[in-house]
Amino acid sequence: MIKVGIIGCANLRAAELVRVLINHPDVELKWARDAGVAGLRLDAIVPGVVGECDLTVEGDGDLDGVDVVFLCGSRAEVTRRLARLHIPEGVRLIDLSGSHNLDYGDGKPWAYGLGEMQRRLLVHETGHITVPGNAATAAMLALIPMARNLLLNSPVTLHAAIGVGALTDEGKTLDGLDLGAWASDQQQEVALALSQCQASFNQPVTLTLTPLAERRTLAVAARFKCGVDGAMARQLYEQYYDDHNFVFIVDRPILTADVENTNKCLFRIEKDERSGELTVHAVMDVMLKGCAGNAVHAMNLMFGLHERAGLALKATGC
């Protein structure tokens, strides 16, 4: 069993993570820590886990006795904690705060935790993972097959519509940023990640943002000029994702119920043959594939588990 700890548990991303981990067949949740709610039972602050978890939230402590720690606080909180934490040898870290999403890359200690982008690295070569931003995750999944085939050679326009469930009561994102700063960070993150996929990529990336009424939905439309026809583009996507477990192509408008409460990302591909513009619509659950589910996927790869372990989550059906 993988022994797990969570730091920073009084927030939406941590609540979603707890709900996934306590049902994971290969995980034992050893402790959850958050000084602001220390002494409370975890099932008092995480909806839906009464009868499933009897842990009491702790304050500060060392990291002994666990194999991996999920960092779930805000960026500022995670940065402060990392500065003073002693990390025992062999303890892995998975950061959900976005603190390191713009400083990963060659020679950096934090690996970009998108399994569909760099599965081999996550399996073999890392102990520190930074979980991609939610809009960046959807955008990258929509663009990786083109980048891997060296076919991203024009400006990329992204429109992200994000469910209000990913926002705090103050109208900020889960990363503690206002929406303008969040969109700017996601835009930079996508540009950096694309340069890791396609070294020749040097085109501008533009991201705009719209809030969605659906609480858990994240939809990204990625548009760019494409030098192959629609049938070939679809074939490239099918080939790239053929051995991946969470990404699927559909030929109809994607509904919230198709992805809600799952770790799936669904695509719809449209090619305007006259203009040469390809549009890839990517839709997923903002709290699972866009956050906690992605983190658990990365953990599964890190520890050599099947990618779907603990992530065969239910579909809503309505």
Side-chain angles (χ1 to χ4, degrees):
M1 296 291 279
I2 301 169
K3 296 178 173 60
V4 171
I6 296 175
I7 294 179
C9 59
N11 56 68
L12 294 175
R13 66 161 67 88
E16 198 72 27
L17 181 65
V18 167
R19 286 190 285 266
V20 174
L21 290 176
I22 62 175
N23 289 297
H24 194 298
D26 299 295
V27 162
E28 179 184 2
L29 182 57
K30 298 291 288 185
W31 46 255
R33 293 183 178 149
D34 192 312
V37 291
L40 295 178
R41 284 176 57 97
L42 191 58
D43 60 12
I45 60 175
V46 177
V49 300
V50 173
E52 306 289 340
C53 179
D54 60 0
L55 288 178
T56 297
V57 180
E58 303 174 6
D60 288 332
D62 59 42
L63 304 187
D64 294 332
V66 294
D67 301 304
V68 59
V69 177
F70 290 87
L71 306 170
C72 293
S74 68
R75 296 185 180 196
E77 291 167 344
V78 167
T79 300
R80 285 196 300 269
R81 281 188 174 272
L82 285 176
R84 65 175 188 264
L85 275 177
H86 168 67
I87 303 168
E89 185 176 354
V91 173
R92 320 286 185 89
L93 299 179
I94 299 177
D95 179 13
L96 285 78
S97 74
S99 302
H100 303 92
N101 288 1
L102 297 178
D103 63 1
Y104 80 94
D106 294 340
K108 301 293 178 61
W110 292 87
Y112 197 57
L114 186 56
E116 291 85 357
M117 174 178 164
Q118 45 188 14
R119 181 162 52 188
R120 181 179 177 83
L121 175 66
L122 299 182
V123 170
H124 297 290
E125 302 176 29
T126 186
H128 290 55
I129 290 175
T130 180
V131 176
N134 30 42
T137 295
M140 286 305 301
L141 292 175
L143 295 170
I144 290 171
M146 291 290 107
R148 291 296 194 203
N149 286 282
L150 306 181
L151 290 171
L152 278 184
N153 301 300
S154 69
V156 175
T157 301
L158 304 168
H159 179 72
I162 188 168
V164 295
L167 307 180
T168 68
D169 291 339
E170 294 81 24
K172 296 183 177 180
T173 70
L174 294 179
D175 298 332
L177 303 174
D178 64 46
L179 293 181
W182 177 85
S184 176
D185 268 13
Q186 301 284 299
Q187 180 175 295
Q188 292 179 63
E189 184 179 331
V190 172
L192 175 61
L194 286 175
S195 71
Q196 299 290 316
C197 289
Q198 179 180 322
S200 62
F201 181 77
N202 60 0
Q203 298 293 325
V205 176
T206 305
L207 184 146
T208 58
L209 173 68
T210 302
L212 265 182
E214 293 86 349
R215 291 190 59 81
R216 298 186 63 102
T217 303
L218 171 63
V220 169
R223 294 185 177 88
F224 52 93
K225 295 282 188 179
C226 180
V228 298
D229 63 27
M232 176 58 71
R234 182 189 176 98
Q235 183 178 337
L236 292 174
Y237 278 83
E238 289 174 341
Q239 289 175 345
Y240 186 86
Y241 287 117
D242 180 62
D243 65 341
H244 289 275
N245 289 278
F246 300 113
V247 181
F248 304 94
I249 300 173
V250 298
D251 294 316
R252 57 172 175 76
I254 304 165
L255 305 176
T256 295
D258 289 326
V259 296
E260 191 172 48
N261 289 316
T262 79
N263 199 51
K264 299 172 186 176
C265 180
L266 301 189
F267 288 141
R268 183 165 57 89
I269 300 171
E270 300 174 340
K271 177 70 185 291
D272 186 331
E273 301 295 353
R274 290 183 299 176
S275 69
E277 186 175 74
L278 189 73
T279 302
V280 184
H281 301 273
V283 183
M284 64 190 193
D285 185 307
V286 68
M287 299 302 297
L288 283 166
K289 187 59 178 169
C291 190
N294 213 13
V296 173
H297 182 191
M299 179 198 72
N300 287 344
L301 291 170
M302 179 186 277
F303 285 93
L305 303 177
H306 192 283
E307 292 185 43
R308 289 180 60 86
L311 291 171
L313 306 172
K314 73 178 183 69
T316 57
C318 62

